[in-house]
Amino acid sequence: MNIHTPVLDATPDREEAETALAILRNWAKGATTTEILELDPSVARLIPGSDTVAYPAFSRDYPEDFATDDGYKSTLPDLQNGPSSLIRGAKQQIQHVGISNFRLPIRFHTRDNGDLTLETSVTGSVSLEADKKGINMSRIMRSFYKHAEETFSFEVIEGALDDYITDLESFDARIQMRFSFPMKVDSLRSGLSGYQYYDIALELVEQGGVRKKIMHLDYVYSSTCPCSLELSEHARATRGQLATPHSQRSVARVSVEIDENAGCLWFEDLIEACRRAVPTETQVMVKREDEQAFAELNAANPIFVEDAARLFCEQMQADVRVGDFRIIASHQESLHSHDAVSILVEGDTFAAESLDPKLFNTLFHVG
């Protein structure tokens, strides 16, 4: 009798594979766990109820002495740099992808007090072409750390930007650094002084080969309603009725594109320009004479939110170091259950047809 040995290395089609799997599962119904493991432990996972089969034992101890070499690292999977076939969703360009709130200490030049080291929150992003799966986020951090020991200026931020555009093979990129900048402020009459802290962000944007340097400042002030002031005075004058005008803590976010060809725009310069526009900045150190002075200062400078936007605008227009700019003002009303807001934009840099629905929520200053 001739016995024909089947060709075991032939590649089965799907139908043959389904038939073989059905035969295997039918056999497993009457087989013991030992018989299944003796057949092949990996095959056991294909069989319904295989969770009762002993799973291969893995080490549960952290291998402290294990070291990687180039050969081992070359075997590690890297899905973010995988082929475009791994892309999920539309194969569409992403304008910005990266990291937010990566923190480290950074040294900054100041106009008045030399260099300061401040805790800084970094946001870094790059564009992603439509046929690329993703980026390695850690490269942004590594690029930034290469420059973190240097005294920071826009030139050094440019160095970091150059690095990660090259590392990530991108065409557009943005770095933004946020920090709280201390500046000593004198009280109005008592002679005391204390530190006011200003939320500042520096931003370097490259788009289409064009770079822009931007500074953002949140300036916190008191706004006394002119209408409320006049109504209060009317009550006093006509009826001898004591009345107080309403005023409230208010915030202006001033964003400016910097023209460095016209000179350095220091942090202190932008802060002082805001003080000239609206002198009723909230106070740090206050005694009774300062509180009285602040009431008088507010009465001398009552402003609607529209006034605030235009007063800040006037100062920005007067500074040759400022190019395009945007003023966002929020008066967090003590009279109303809502806020009064305004946005004034000059130039194309900050122009936008749509607003972030949460934009004005970010202008609350909580001290």
Side-chain angles (χ1 to χ4, degrees):
M1 179 183 352
N2 293 328
I3 299 176
H4 297 281
T5 304
V7 181
L8 297 179
D9 60 354
T11 302
D13 58 24
R14 181 181 178 87
E15 184 178 352
E16 291 172 322
E18 289 176 347
T19 301
L21 183 57
I23 293 171
L24 179 61
R25 286 174 171 166
N26 191 46
W27 167 81
K29 290 178 182 178
T32 65
T33 299
T34 302
E35 288 174 323
I36 293 174
L37 291 175
E38 287 176 348
L39 175 64
D40 190 328
S42 63
V43 175
R45 296 180 216 151
L46 302 175
I47 303 170
S50 62
D51 55 335
T52 61
V53 177
Y55 193 71
F58 294 106
S59 172
R60 293 179 178 269
D61 296 324
Y62 176 70
E64 294 185 6
D65 298 331
F66 178 74
T68 60
D69 56 23
D70 290 341
Y72 180 81
K73 286 186 281 188
S74 68
T75 68
L76 295 173
D78 186 359
L79 294 181
Q80 286 296 75
N81 286 317
S84 59
S85 60
L86 295 178
I87 292 175
R88 301 184 64 187
K91 290 186 178 179
Q92 183 72 25
Q93 174 191 337
I94 299 176
Q95 283 71 34
H96 287 279
V97 58
I99 60 172
S100 175
N101 200 29
F102 161 52
R103 294 184 297 171
L104 71 169
I106 297 292
R107 285 186 296 144
F108 293 90
H109 285 313
T110 72
R111 186 192 68 184
D112 300 334
N113 298 307
D115 290 349
L116 286 177
T117 298
L118 303 172
E119 179 183 302
T120 303
S121 170
V122 177
T123 294
S125 63
V126 295
S127 56
L128 183 65
E129 296 178 33
D131 61 349
K132 289 186 177 180
K133 167 67 174 171
I135 68 169
N136 288 115
M137 302 287 182
S138 63
R139 289 188 184 180
I140 295 177
M141 297 168 64
R142 293 199 301 269
S143 296
F144 215 83
Y145 258 107
K146 286 170 59 177
H147 300 271
E149 298 300 321
E150 303 178 46
T151 299
F152 253 72
S153 63
F154 273 114
E155 287 71 27
V156 182
I157 302 177
E158 284 186 294
L161 194 78
D162 287 335
D163 284 353
Y164 77 70
I165 285 180
T166 300
D167 289 346
L168 298 169
E169 299 178 346
S170 184
F171 46 91
D172 291 339
R174 171 183 282 118
I175 288 179
Q176 185 182 94
M177 301 193 309
R178 294 184 294 110
F179 51 92
S180 187
F181 179 72
M183 188 172 175
K184 187 166 280 190
V185 178
D186 293 331
S187 60
L188 294 174
R189 285 180 180 154
S190 66
L192 298 175
S193 63
Y195 281 100
Q196 190 81 274
Y197 282 82
Y198 300 89
D199 289 339
I200 293 178
L202 301 181
E203 189 171 22
L204 180 64
V205 179
E206 176 162 326
Q207 189 170 13
V210 177
R211 288 191 175 179
K212 292 186 177 182
K213 299 174 181 179
I214 296 168
M215 187 188 305
H216 307 270
L217 164 69
D218 279 10
Y219 178 73
V220 185
Y221 58 99
S222 173
S223 59
T224 294
C225 174
C227 183
S228 181
L229 179 61
E230 292 301 320
L231 291 171
S232 297
E233 291 305 303
H234 179 273
R236 296 186 192 197
T238 62
R239 295 185 289 115
Q241 176 63 49
L242 180 64
T244 60
H246 78 83
S247 60
Q248 51 274 319
R249 184 181 292 176
S250 305
V251 180
R253 181 163 297 152
V254 179
S255 302
V256 300
E257 180 189 358
I258 298 172
D259 181 1
E260 288 193 321
N261 294 324
C264 178
L265 180 66
W266 296 97
F267 306 144
E268 295 95 332
D269 294 338
L270 188 57
I271 292 166
E272 289 172 357
C274 289
R275 283 200 201 121
R276 288 193 297 272
V278 179
T280 52
E281 181 179 21
T282 55
Q283 300 294 295
V284 182
M285 300 293 286
V286 175
K287 297 180 75 173
R288 283 179 297 171
E289 59 265 39
D290 299 311
E291 186 169 355
Q292 185 181 64
F294 193 62
E296 295 172 11
L297 185 64
N298 272 268
N301 294 275
I303 49 172
F304 294 117
V305 73
E306 302 93 329
D307 300 324
R310 288 170 172 153
L311 287 165
F312 290 120
C313 172
E314 183 178 47
Q315 289 296 318
M316 298 307 107
Q317 289 176 332
D319 196 324
V320 296
R321 298 167 296 181
V322 173
D324 293 352
F325 61 85
R326 179 185 62 206
I327 311 296
I328 305 173
S330 175
H331 290 188
Q332 291 144 30
E333 298 279 309
S334 64
L335 169 64
H336 302 292
S337 298
H338 56 264
D339 301 332
V341 298
S342 65
I343 300 178
L344 187 156
V345 176
E346 182 164 303
D348 296 331
T349 299
F350 303 101
E353 295 182 0
S354 175
L355 290 180
D356 179 347
K358 299 290 186 180
L359 171 64
F360 294 108
N361 291 353
T362 68
L363 267 68
F364 279 88
H365 181 80
V366 294

